[in-house]
């Protein structure tokens, strides 16, 4: 009898108003949960994760890798996904990989554009992507000031996500943190 | 009965704290990261900054706890977390972490009220006896409560405006002291005398509190003295304020003891770390032969051990939460 070794990877993306959870066996997407326009990411993400693993009858010890989108996007949204991902990676002692929302958008679009944007409540984060990587800085623009020729991605296709592992960055779970871009505007006393 | 180990998480404000508590009264381990130095320069807690820091720190705190206790997290009986009151963005991080632990290790999730946590901090020092009066004094709350049993709260009196801790923080700002205001006002008050005449809070027979008049009195006094180019003796003013604020709490407490004839008293909340308040309460307890419980200083400020203590009774009642648990920033005592 052959022993079948499964290598499941979990993908978590809660960087804006959608929750996207993908389950991959080796590099093949085997199940996906995508909920649109969520108001309370914290309420639904863990129940959806449980649903995803339960309906595929996957035990947590079968998870071998975790991939998380670290934003930029909604501060609270990103924090939910990142906190869940780093806790799972730490507690299961499995490697964690990160991707930012702009490189994710470019990948899912097939790199057909040069300028990519991802949404935030009152504006858009924009970056130039070349050779699968961000060139220069991610900039924030208010909705009224969005430049032309920006491809704004609001619906990432993650089915082929794991076919190109070079787009991810392996990190220690301790150092995985949201990418906020927007600095806090606080007046110190 | 078998021992019950609860892993508890507290992240309602500016402390990331995780503890393992045995049977609701014994702290196996406690790890806390405080953000006070970070918020200090802004004169108070900046909510978005607090949430960012909880996200950065939570794994370090958990790792430190597991490292120093050598406790296998799979051996806990339940995971408890503060669900409110507090800052939404801060509560959220503790809640998500607790959900992951609950799910990964298939352990019940327990949502704990932060104020009830402060009350049960007493259980870590001395077992509660019922019925008991509970005085809650913190930055967000000033309540007099009667407890006939565990998780039975009858509110006898509350603040009508500012919480006592809020008044301490405001006075600290007026005096140019750093955040957190309470300990700094107390330290300064020790070097002064109660020479300033300030408004005395409502002198009536109700058990409600009011501190806004006293607070405004100080703001006006400082303003007037500045206009007259007269120097304020900050230590004397701090001492005058602290005496009036604490004496008011003591007066209401004495009234409650007389009205209810209850012979047990516990004190809870961050302001219970105030030395002058502790001394005055001890005197009062002695005068009325009241059995007094007051938490160790390390359990007076926000910490996860008190959450683990409070969660124990919910564990016994099997009062569990689901993975859709959300922050309840304005949660009340009941």
């Amino acid at each position: 009898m052959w022993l079948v070794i499964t290598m499941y990877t979990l993908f978590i993306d809660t960087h804006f108003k959608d929750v996207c959870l993908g389950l991959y066996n080796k590099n093949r997407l085997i199940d996906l949960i995508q909920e649109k326009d969520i108001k309370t990411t914290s309420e639904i993400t863990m129940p959806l994760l449980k649903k995803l693993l339960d309906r595929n009858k996957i035990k947590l010890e079968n998870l071998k890798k975790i991939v998380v989108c670290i934003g930029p996007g909604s501060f609270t949204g990103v924090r939910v996904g990142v906190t869940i991902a780093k806790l799972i990676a730490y507690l299961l002692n499995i490697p964690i990989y990160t991707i930012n929302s702009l490189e994710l958008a470019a990948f899912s679009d097939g790199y057909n554009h040069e300028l990519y944007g991802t949404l935030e409540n009152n504006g858009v984060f924009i970056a130039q992507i070349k050779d699968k990587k961000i060139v220069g800085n991610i900039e924030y623009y208010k909705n009224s000031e969005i430049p032309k020729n920006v491809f704004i991605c609001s619906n990432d296709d993650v089915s082929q996500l794991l076919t190109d592992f070079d787009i991810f960055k392996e990190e220690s779970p301790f150092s995985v943190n949201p990418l906020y871009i927007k600095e806090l505007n606080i007046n110190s006393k | 009965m078998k021992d019950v180990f609860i892993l508890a998480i507290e992240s309602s404000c500016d402390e990331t704290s995780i503890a393992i508590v045995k049977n609701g009264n014994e702290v196996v381990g406690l790890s806390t990261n405080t953000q006070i130095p970070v918020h200090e320069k802004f004169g108070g807690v900046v909510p978005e900054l607090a949430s960012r820091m909880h996200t950065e720190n939570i794994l370090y705190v958990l790792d430190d706890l597991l490292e120093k206790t050598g406790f296998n997290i799979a051996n806990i009986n339940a995971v408890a977390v503060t669900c409110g009151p507090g800052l939404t963005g801060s509560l959220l991080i503790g809640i998500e972490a607790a959900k992951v632990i609950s799910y990964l290790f298939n352990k019940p999730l327990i949502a704990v009220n932060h104020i009830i946590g402060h009350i049960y901090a007493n259980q870590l020092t001395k077992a509660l006896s019922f019925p008991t009066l509970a005085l809650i004094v913190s930055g967000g709350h000033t309540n007099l409560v009667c407890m006939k049993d565990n998780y039975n709260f009858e509110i006898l009196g509350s603040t009508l405006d500012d919480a006592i801790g809020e008044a301490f923080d405001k006075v600290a700002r007026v005096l140019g002291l750093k955040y957190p205001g309470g300990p700094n006002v107390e330290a300064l008050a020790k070097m002064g005398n109660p020479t300033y005449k300030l408004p005395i809070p409502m002198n009536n027979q109700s058990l409600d509190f009011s501190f806004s008049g006293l607070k405004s009195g100080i703001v006006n006094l400082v303003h007037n003295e500045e206009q007259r180019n007269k120097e304020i003796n900050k230590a004397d003013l701090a001492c005058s304020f602290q005496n009036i604020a604490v004496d008011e709490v003591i007066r209401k407490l004495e009234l409650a003891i007389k009205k209810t004839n209850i012979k047990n008293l516990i004190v809870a909340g961050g302001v219970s770390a105030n030395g002058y308040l502790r001394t005055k309460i001890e005197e009062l307890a002695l005068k009325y032969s009241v059995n007094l419980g007051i938490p160790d200083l390390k359990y007076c400020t926000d910490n996860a051990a008190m959450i683990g203590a409070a969660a124990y009774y919910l564990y016994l009642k099997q009062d569990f939460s689901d993975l859709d648990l959300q922050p309840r920033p304005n949660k009340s005592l009941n």
Side-chain angles (χ1 to χ4, degrees):
Chain A
M1 218 172 87
W2 293 96
L3 186 66
V4 183
I5 299 169
T6 45
M7 292 281 282
Y8 293 108
T9 298
L10 175 68
F11 171 66
I12 300 177
D13 178 13
T14 60
H15 79 271
F16 193 49
K17 287 183 179 167
D18 304 344
V19 170
C20 174
L21 302 171
L23 190 62
Y24 303 80
N25 184 353
K26 299 214 173 67
N27 292 336
R28 193 172 50 86
L29 180 72
I30 56 167
D31 199 0
L32 181 69
I33 291 182
Q34 261 177 319
E35 294 270 333
K36 294 267 149 206
D37 219 12
I38 299 310
K39 286 203 181 66
T40 47
T41 309
S42 72
E43 184 179 5
I44 66 154
T45 304
M46 277 307 293
L48 287 178
L49 179 60
K50 180 178 179 338
K51 182 173 154 188
L52 179 73
L53 296 178
D54 284 357
R55 77 183 182 195
N56 289 284
K57 299 189 171 59
I58 288 173
K59 287 187 184 148
L60 281 158
E61 53 262 36
N62 298 128
L63 286 185
K64 298 299 174 204
K65 276 180 200 154
I66 188 155
V67 178
V68 64
C69 175
I70 55 169
S74 129
F75 292 170
T76 302
V78 179
R79 274 197 283 267
V80 169
V82 165
T83 304
I84 291 171
K86 63 199 258 180
L87 261 289
I88 293 176
Y90 169 79
L91 292 166
L92 291 178
N93 195 21
I94 57 174
I96 182 164
Y97 297 82
T98 60
I99 184 167
N100 66 60
S101 56
L102 289 146
E103 287 176 356
L104 180 64
F107 171 85
S108 101
D109 172 55
Y111 302 103
N112 282 316
H113 295 80
E114 200 184 331
L115 285 177
Y116 285 92
T118 56
L119 295 165
E120 189 260 9
N121 286 322
N122 305 306
V124 178
F125 296 102
I126 295 173
Q128 187 189 359
I129 307 265
K130 214 173 171 185
D131 298 328
K132 302 179 181 178
K133 291 286 171 204
I134 288 177
V135 183
N137 296 323
I138 300 174
E139 304 285 352
Y140 176 73
Y141 292 85
K142 285 183 186 157
N143 279 335
S144 54
E145 301 162 355
I146 301 171
K148 285 182 178 165
N149 304 325
V150 178
F151 181 75
I152 295 172
C153 190
S154 58
N155 191 10
D156 292 324
D157 174 5
V158 297
S159 57
Q160 302 298 314
L161 191 63
L162 296 197
T163 54
D164 184 358
F165 228 78
D166 290 343
I167 60 172
F168 306 120
K169 186 175 151 204
E170 182 171 3
E171 293 191 59
S172 151
F174 290 95
S175 64
V176 174
N177 281 306
L179 194 58
Y180 294 107
I181 303 298
K182 282 169 78 179
E183 291 302 321
L184 288 181
N185 189 9
I186 326 165
N187 299 318
S188 61
K189 290 212 170 187
Chain B
M1 211 177 87
K2 274 176 79 176
D3 288 334
V4 175
F5 293 93
I6 295 179
L7 182 120
I9 305 178
E10 152 67 35
S11 69
S12 66
C13 190
D14 58 350
E15 256 98 30
T16 317
S17 183
I18 310 183
I20 295 170
V21 178
K22 180 181 166 186
N23 300 333
N25 57 21
E26 187 184 322
V27 182
V28 177
L30 169 66
S31 289
T32 302
N33 173 280
T34 176
Q35 305 172 7
I36 286 174
V38 180
H39 297 287
E40 199 178 73
K41 59 176 175 282
F42 305 113
V45 177
V46 181
E48 171 61 23
L49 184 58
S51 185
R52 289 184 180 194
M53 297 206 62
H54 285 300
T55 313
E56 275 177 35
N57 293 334
I58 192 145
L59 263 195
Y60 288 101
V61 176
L62 178 62
D63 190 59
D64 179 62
L65 175 76
L66 297 178
E67 177 92 352
K68 75 183 182 197
T69 57
F71 201 93
N72 180 352
I73 194 168
N75 292 336
I76 58 170
N77 298 85
V79 54
V81 64
T82 307
C83 65
L87 301 168
T88 307
S90 291
L91 291 162
L92 184 80
I93 305 307
I95 288 175
E96 290 307 316
K99 286 181 193 175
V100 171
I101 295 169
S102 161
Y103 177 55
L104 283 192
F105 299 99
N106 197 21
K107 306 292 178 185
L109 178 65
I110 302 174
V112 177
N113 179 309
H114 180 78
I115 302 305
I116 296 177
H118 274 302
I119 292 173
Y120 278 88
N122 282 282
Q123 193 84 339
L124 301 169
T125 306
K126 183 173 159 185
L128 301 187
S129 309
F130 299 107
T132 184
L133 287 170
L135 172 73
I136 301 154
V137 277
S138 74
H141 301 265
T142 309
N143 295 111
L144 254 172
V145 177
C146 171
M147 288 177 72
K148 294 205 170 75
D149 201 351
N150 279 310
Y151 274 81
N152 176 311
F153 309 101
E154 184 197 342
I155 297 179
L156 305 177
S158 300
T159 180
L160 300 174
D161 38 61
D162 297 328
I164 183 168
E166 224 173 327
F168 268 91
D169 284 343
K170 178 70 185 178
V171 169
R173 273 200 292 277
V174 171
L175 295 177
L177 303 176
K178 281 183 171 179
Y179 170 84
N184 291 324
V185 170
E186 184 187 358
L188 194 59
K190 275 192 188 131
M191 296 183 283
N193 294 301
T195 55
Y196 283 97
K197 269 204 154 49
L198 294 165
I200 310 264
M202 9 181 248
N203 193 2
N204 61 24
Q205 295 299 302
S206 93
L207 294 176
D208 290 328
F209 305 87
S210 167
F211 296 102
S212 68
L214 174 61
K215 189 183 78 179
S216 318
I218 290 189
V219 174
N220 291 340
L221 187 143
V222 171
H223 186 70
N224 290 340
E225 297 291 86
E226 271 172 5
Q227 283 201 327
R228 283 188 238 151
N229 272 328
K230 278 177 76 179
E231 191 131 335
I232 298 272
N233 184 324
K234 289 184 176 181
D236 285 351
L237 189 55
C239 181
S240 308
F241 159 74
Q242 180 177 266
N243 280 20
I244 292 176
V246 169
D247 289 351
E248 174 62 5
V249 171
I250 297 299
R251 198 175 70 77
K252 297 289 171 156
L253 200 51
E254 184 166 7
L255 209 55
I257 293 170
K258 282 185 188 164
K259 274 189 177 179
T260 61
N261 205 26
I262 289 173
K263 291 293 178 193
N264 295 303
L265 168 65
I266 53 175
V267 187
V271 183
S272 61
N274 182 284
Y276 181 66
L277 179 74
R278 288 172 93 98
T279 308
K280 284 294 198 178
I281 288 180
E282 279 160 13
E283 286 171 16
L284 188 71
L286 211 60
K287 181 176 169 188
Y288 288 91
S289 308
V290 165
N291 169 31
L292 174 67
I294 194 159
D296 284 350
L297 279 177
K298 63 182 172 212
Y299 301 129
C300 284
T301 48
D302 290 354
N303 68 87
M306 67 184 199
I307 301 303
Y312 178 68
Y313 300 92
L314 298 176
Y315 178 83
L316 296 181
K317 282 198 287 183
Q318 302 206 340
D319 188 344
F320 301 145
S321 292
D322 295 322
L323 291 177
D324 62 359
L325 179 69
Q326 282 205 80
R328 290 173 229 159
N330 302 313
K331 194 168 169 50
S332 67
L333 202 55
N334 290 312

